[in-house]
Amino acid sequence: MNFYNLYRWILLGITLYNLGNVLLTALEYRQYYEKLPLKLRHYLQQKTARILGEKMNTYKKELWVNFGLLLLLISLNGISFMI
């Protein structure tokens, strides 16, 4: 096992650990979100959707470029694992 493979496995471990933390935090705060009044929940959902929509429209080209590069990176890593 060379250092590059070790580095990739460490990054995968860190990524999975952080993904687990995000999921646990979301589940932890879900109970507080459900206690909010219905009007406040709808307001937060609409405001979040509007903010994300504006940001995505503003940076649409950059998002597509980054998405393409991410797919390229994933495919190259998959090919590298197969070799």
Side-chain angles (χ1 to χ4, degrees), residues 31-46:
Q31 61 182 342
Y32 301 116
Y33 176 75
E34 290 176 350
K35 290 180 183 177
L36 290 174
L38 189 60
K39 288 184 180 182
L40 183 59
R41 268 194 265 169
H42 285 300
Y43 171 76
L44 289 173
Q45 287 174 349
Q46 290 171 357

Side-chain angles (χ1 to χ4, degrees), residues 5 8 75-83:
N5 283 336
R8 283 188 2 207
S75 62
L76 289 175
N77 276 327
I79 291 169
S80 177
F81 271 123
M82 291 179 202
I83 293 178

